[in-house]
Amino acid sequence: MNEIAYIGEHLAPAIIGRGLIYLSLIAGIFSLFFYFRSLKSGSLADLKQRNFGRLFYLIQTFSIVGISAALFYIIVNHYFEYAYAFKHSSSLMPGKYIISSFWAGQEGSFLLWALFIGLYGIGAMLTARKLESGVMSVVVLAQLILVTMVLGLNFFGISIGSDPFLLLREVPENMSNDFFKNPDYLSFIRDGNGLNPLLENPWMVIHPPMLFMGYATAIFPYAFAFASLVQGDKRYWLKPVLPWMLLSVGLLGTGLLLGGAWAYQSLTFGGFWAWDPVENASLVPWMVLVAALHYMLLSYKRDKYYYGTYIFTFLGFIMVVYASYLTRSGVLGETSVHAFGDDGRSVQLILFTVIFILLPLWQLIRNRKNIRANDLPELFTREFLMMYGAIVMLLAAFQVISTTSVPVINKVIGTNMAPPSDVVSFYNTWQLPFAIMMTLLLSIGQYLSYGKNDIKSFLRNIIYPFVLALIVAIWGFIADNDMSVVHGVFLFCIVFTILTSVAYLFRFASGRGNSAAGITHVGFGVFLLGVLIAFSNTETLSSGGVPGMPGGGDNMMLFKGEQKSLGRYQVSYSGIDEKRDETFYRIDFLEEGKDGELYHRFSLHPSVKYNEMMGNVHNPDTRNMLSGDIYMYITFAEDRAKRMPDGYVYSGSVDFTLGDTLEAGRVPVIFDSLYISNMSTDAEQISIMALLKAKDSLDREQTYPLVYTVDGNTAESGVVEIPGSGIKLRFDKVSEMARTINVGIFEKKPEFVVVKILHFPWIFILWTGAVIMFAGITVGIWKRAVKARNAAE
């Protein structure tokens, strides 16, 4: 059988990309071999082995850079013969979203993860010093596993990864399709599917890379901990690892916040956090890493409690890998709207998780005498509060991940447990006690020193912030009639945290304390204050509206040109603006001035993005004000494909047979005759004309021609208006029945939209707290990096 010579395919990127995949795997194996030999020698004197490990690591990393570049080249140049480019990109998309197409699929996101590990790994390779062989062995192993995710091989029915350079005609379900037996099939593929419309948001251009940077850097604390156990030095690794730990916490936390900003702007669950399983799978590693950071600082200061530090540090990256299993194995497919489906990588992801559990377990057992457990610290000490604060954080993370893992539990042990129906209320209820405990421990801990403390001095120092926080909490409880007692307690703890953290900063100004920790803790307290105020006092402004719509009676119907009262505003739907595949609805907010006249204050433009293949997406719009955000999204609007520009709306279609009568409003319309004519010799152009007859207002019979034109692969439907009926008829298609056409009916209807409007009071406090918190982390990274460099010198 002769092979088909396909026309127009660009095969060079695939050849280069696949070659680099194999090169990265081979180089990774050699790098792991030489680093392991260097590690086994127990001495850095074996520079030759280490240098070979470095060389092959650089080859492995730059091969991954090349693989990524080849895939990106395919996407940017719109080579839709490749399945990945066809599935995730489109030539009609703006450039920034074409960039996002790279990580829209499983293969691209695994490459992005491996790429960041590789690039950050160069920094670790150059700074790890005597721990290099152990650190880089772990890093190389992780890269090897990630590259197998894009290997795309099949051994005896077992798939190892999936090939990002697979052609459309090579996709198994397409191989028997006659379409791909045409050598010129590519000329019929005009465009790709494009991104999921939910992902077409500016935040999604930076949110996933930031999150994957966090995932990538999480391996380095793990690797440093592993290397220290292998080399039997439980103390040396703490100074160089602290900048990596802070970097991972900062990047992962920033990624989470950017994801929240995306959700706030693009999703309609009303807020920036919905406890979605995919959100939870990213939150839990961050929580564990924060707990590990505090345990690590405790070991660094006190030269003990190493068991807890090792366990927490290892758990941080293990949770990253487990989170990847949750979001990429398909196990969350029915509980999360933005988890990946199962494409056969489940076994690989499970092995990834198991390997990175067994590695530290082996070393912890091997070094159990060297890192034996210490006695518990005294109750009234900073180390006690730091230790148990970290444990509380870990318990909070366990509550989140255990509930998120219900589908996994069901799959493993065959149960049929249902996830909580109201996830926001469920998680908020469970997490609130943990948040109260953590803020209380943080507040008190900042007034204690390591070792013994004088209780009288402690009480004297803490009384002022305690009383002030109590006054603020009582005032807030009285001012807010709807505040529960538990929220009042939480308010006290938050204000107490902020005040004690500010005091901690002042102590640093006088020569004591840690400025980075103080700034971070102030930001954390302000962030929690924003969460409490904004989301415990969220007001639905459109309540009492339209039942039966999504959101029940929390909707408001707005007819075009009419005004409705909304608190101090009058709101009016004034029109639409169509841009490509998106329709923006202008909603004007008017306010009465001192002279009694209504003045335009601002407009919101919630939109509906149309996508025939993936479904329509409703994007909210927000008015940001100091007192709070007004947040609006469309819950119902007429599909623009069903509405004509002059206000006629599609109401259905009927088959109309020659000689029959159709009641158009109150006007009988008769299908009088049908004519078909060829407008070209090759019958590529055909015109079909149906003559309809109806009486006008003077009882005179009028004829209305309704034309349907076929020109090659396209068809144009004619439209006629029947005077006095309020109806327009459109020739939609020729029916399968003889002498019958299918007619679309359009009725004159007032234009309207249904919206939901929320008010988030003082939400800027939340974002301000986030900025302060991560400013503190940035300061901490810089200070710890300087200390680590000075120590190395």
Side-chain angles (χ1 to χ4, degrees), residues 283-304:
L283 173 67
V284 167
W286 182 81
M287 295 174 73
V288 176
L289 286 168
V290 169
L293 171 63
H294 286 81
Y295 238 108
M296 193 176 286
L297 290 169
L298 190 59
S299 292
Y300 181 72
K301 287 283 187 181
R302 306 299 286 169
D303 193 22
K304 51 185 177 179

Side-chain angles (χ1 to χ4, degrees), residues 393-423:
M393 180 75 89
L394 185 66
L395 290 173
F398 176 76
Q399 187 276 322
V400 174
I401 202 65
S402 60
T403 306
T404 306
S405 299
V406 164
V408 179
I409 297 168
N410 288 338
K411 190 174 182 179
V412 171
I413 63 177
T415 54
N416 195 28
M417 293 186 291
S421 55
D422 184 356
V423 291

Side-chain angles (χ1 to χ4, degrees), residues 20-43:
L20 289 172
I21 288 174
Y22 290 108
L23 179 60
S24 70
L25 288 171
I26 294 168
I29 291 169
F30 275 104
S31 180
L32 187 61
F33 170 76
F34 284 113
Y35 267 128
F36 185 73
R37 285 192 65 180
S38 174
L39 182 67
K40 195 174 180 182
S41 70
S43 171

Side-chain angles (χ1 to χ4, degrees), residues 264 523 526-527 529-531 533-535 623-629 760-772:
Y264 194 58
V526 173
F527 178 83
L529 182 63
V531 170
I533 293 174
F535 294 104
R623 173 69 173 183
N624 306 115
M625 297 181 290
L626 188 63
S627 61
D629 288 359
F760 296 109
W762 305 101
I763 195 171
F764 84 92
I765 297 173
L766 181 150
W767 304 115
T768 301
V771 172
I772 296 171

Side-chain angles (χ1 to χ4, degrees), residues 206-440:
I206 53 177
H207 159 58
M210 192 66 69
L211 207 58
F212 277 106
M213 284 184 195
Y215 281 178
T217 51
I219 195 172
F220 295 102
Y222 179 106
F224 272 91
F226 178 82
S228 75
L229 287 173
V230 170
Q231 294 183 204
D233 189 339
K234 65 182 180 182
R235 179 71 182 165
Y236 174 82
W237 70 290
L238 290 175
K239 187 166 283 187
V241 81
L242 277 167
W244 288 106
M245 179 62 84
L246 284 163
L247 181 63
S248 183
V249 168
L251 289 173
L252 196 54
T254 303
L256 286 167
L257 284 170
L258 291 175
W262 162 66
Y264 194 58
Q265 288 195 1
S266 285
L267 302 180
T268 55
F269 55 67
F272 80 104
W273 194 262
W275 296 104
D276 180 88
V278 172
E279 293 176 331
N280 295 350
S282 299
L283 173 67
V284 167
W286 182 81
M287 295 174 73
V288 176
L289 286 168
V290 169
L293 171 63
H294 286 81
Y295 238 108
M296 193 176 286
L297 290 169
L298 190 59
S299 292
Y300 181 72
K301 287 283 187 181
R302 306 299 286 169
D303 193 22
K304 51 185 177 179
Y305 313 123
Y306 287 101
Y307 248 126
T309 301
Y310 279 119
I311 290 171
F312 276 65
T313 303
F314 288 132
L315 273 177
F317 185 67
I318 289 169
M319 284 294 103
V320 167
V321 180
Y322 179 65
S324 297
Y325 166 73
L326 286 177
T327 56
R328 296 167 182 279
S329 64
V331 72
L332 297 182
E334 296 182 3
T335 57
S336 175
V337 295
H338 54 289
F340 287 101
D342 185 6
D343 63 356
R345 288 188 183 84
S346 299
V347 174
Q348 284 175 267
L349 289 166
I350 290 170
L351 285 174
F352 194 1
T353 308
V354 170
I355 288 169
F356 277 80
I357 290 173
L358 293 179
L359 280 175
L361 190 62
W362 161 49
Q363 286 299 321
L364 285 171
I365 293 172
R366 180 173 167 267
N367 287 271
R368 62 188 180 277
K369 293 181 180 179
N370 184 39
I371 53 170
R372 62 185 182 275
N374 300 99
D375 295 332
L376 291 176
E378 293 184 28
L379 182 64
F380 197 57
T381 59
R382 176 175 287 187
E383 52 259 52
F384 174 85
L385 296 183
M386 286 181 68
M387 179 182 292
Y388 286 98
I391 291 170
V392 169
M393 180 75 89
L394 185 66
L395 290 173
F398 176 76
Q399 187 276 322
V400 174
I401 202 65
S402 60
T403 306
T404 306
S405 299
V406 164
V408 179
I409 297 168
N410 288 338
K411 190 174 182 179
V412 171
I413 63 177
T415 54
N416 195 28
M417 293 186 291
S421 55
D422 184 356
V423 291
V424 174
S425 176
F426 175 84
Y427 282 108
N428 286 350
T429 301
W430 271 93
Q431 288 297 306
L432 187 56
F434 291 120
I436 290 172
M437 284 189 284
M438 282 188 286
T439 50
L440 199 57

